[in-house]
Amino acid sequence: MSVHDTAEPSRRDFLYIATGAAGAVGAAAAVWPFIDQMNPDAGTLALAAIEVNVSSVAPGQSITAKWRGKPVFIRQRTPEEIEQAKSVPLADLKDPVARNQNLPADAQATDANRSAPGKEQWLVMVGVCTHLGCIPLGQQGPYNGWFCPCHGSSYDTAGRIRQGPAPENMAVPPFEFISDTTVRVG
C-alpha cells in the first residue's frame, strides 16, 4: 500500500460531485418551464366543476352551459320525448354504449342510463358531435333530438347517435343534482 492510497475523498472528487449537482439543478431549472406549460391554465381549473340553476327550464326546453371550454346541453324532456327514447330497441342503435361517465364504461345506452338518476326528464350531455366536434342543433332532425348540419349526424331525444357519420353517442359528463333546481357538472 502506498502513501497516496487513502479512503478519504480528494478535493478533485468533491469538485466533480459539486459540478455534477450544479449541472443537474441548472438542467432542471431550464426544463421546468416546458413541463409547467403542460399544466391546465387557471381558467380551465376554475371550470373543473360548475353549478347550473335549472329552475327556469320548462319541459321541452334546454339550456347550454360552458364546462371545460365545451358546451353542455341540459334539457328537461317532455313525457313524449322520454317515451320516444324508451321505445327504441337497443339493436336499432348505432352505438350501444351509454357513454355516461357516471356509470361503468360498458353500460348499455338505454334511456335510463343516459338520463339523470331519479330525474329521468333531465338530460345532461356534452354538446359536441362525436364525428368532427361540431355543435349539433337541438330539437332538430328526424328523431327530434339533435342534428349536426355539418355532416348530417342525427341524435335522438336521449342524445344517442341514430344516423350519419358520427361513431358514438354524445358523452354524458360527471354530474349530480345537488338540489331540485341545481345541477353540478364536473
Side-chain angles (χ1 to χ4, degrees):
M1 190 163 165
S2 75
V3 170
H4 297 290
D5 291 336
T6 63
E8 303 267 335
S10 68
R11 181 178 173 152
R12 179 173 288 164
D13 293 336
F14 172 76
L15 289 174
Y16 283 143
I17 293 170
T19 302
V25 169
V31 171
W32 178 251
F34 297 108
I35 294 171
D36 188 48
Q37 62 91 24
M38 290 185 235
N39 288 325
D41 71 345
T44 301
L45 292 175
L47 294 175
I50 60 170
E51 292 182 5
V52 182
N53 183 341
V54 294
S55 61
S56 64
V57 181
Q61 292 183 335
S62 61
I63 59 172
T64 303
K66 189 172 182 179
W67 174 67
R68 293 186 178 173
K70 297 177 186 173
V72 173
F73 298 152
I74 302 172
R75 179 164 178 77
Q76 184 171 356
R77 301 182 298 169
T78 64
E80 296 80 24
E81 290 173 329
I82 296 168
E83 287 307 313
Q84 186 179 15
K86 283 182 176 180
S87 69
V88 176
L90 289 177
D92 289 356
L93 298 177
K94 193 172 176 181
D95 180 14
V97 180
R99 310 281 173 207
N100 186 336
Q101 291 185 34
N102 303 292
L103 299 174
D106 62 346
Q108 292 184 328
T110 62
D111 182 64
N113 285 346
R114 300 272 307 155
S115 60
K119 296 180 179 287
E120 68 179 3
Q121 75 272 24
W122 290 101
L123 189 63
V124 179
M125 352 176 260
V126 177
V128 175
C129 179
T130 59
H131 178 232
L132 291 176
C134 306
I135 310 300
L137 304 173
Q139 293 72 57
Q140 305 260 335
Y143 301 97
N144 198 30
W146 287 264
F147 177 70
C148 184
C150 301
H151 301 100
S153 294
S154 295
Y155 299 86
D156 66 10
T157 58
R160 302 172 296 196
I161 183 64
R162 298 297 303 279
Q163 71 182 36
E168 298 178 350
N169 300 323
M170 284 193 270
V172 176
F175 76 93
E176 66 177 326
F177 274 85
I178 57 175
S179 75
D180 286 339
T181 60
T182 306
V183 62
R184 177 184 294 138
V185 179

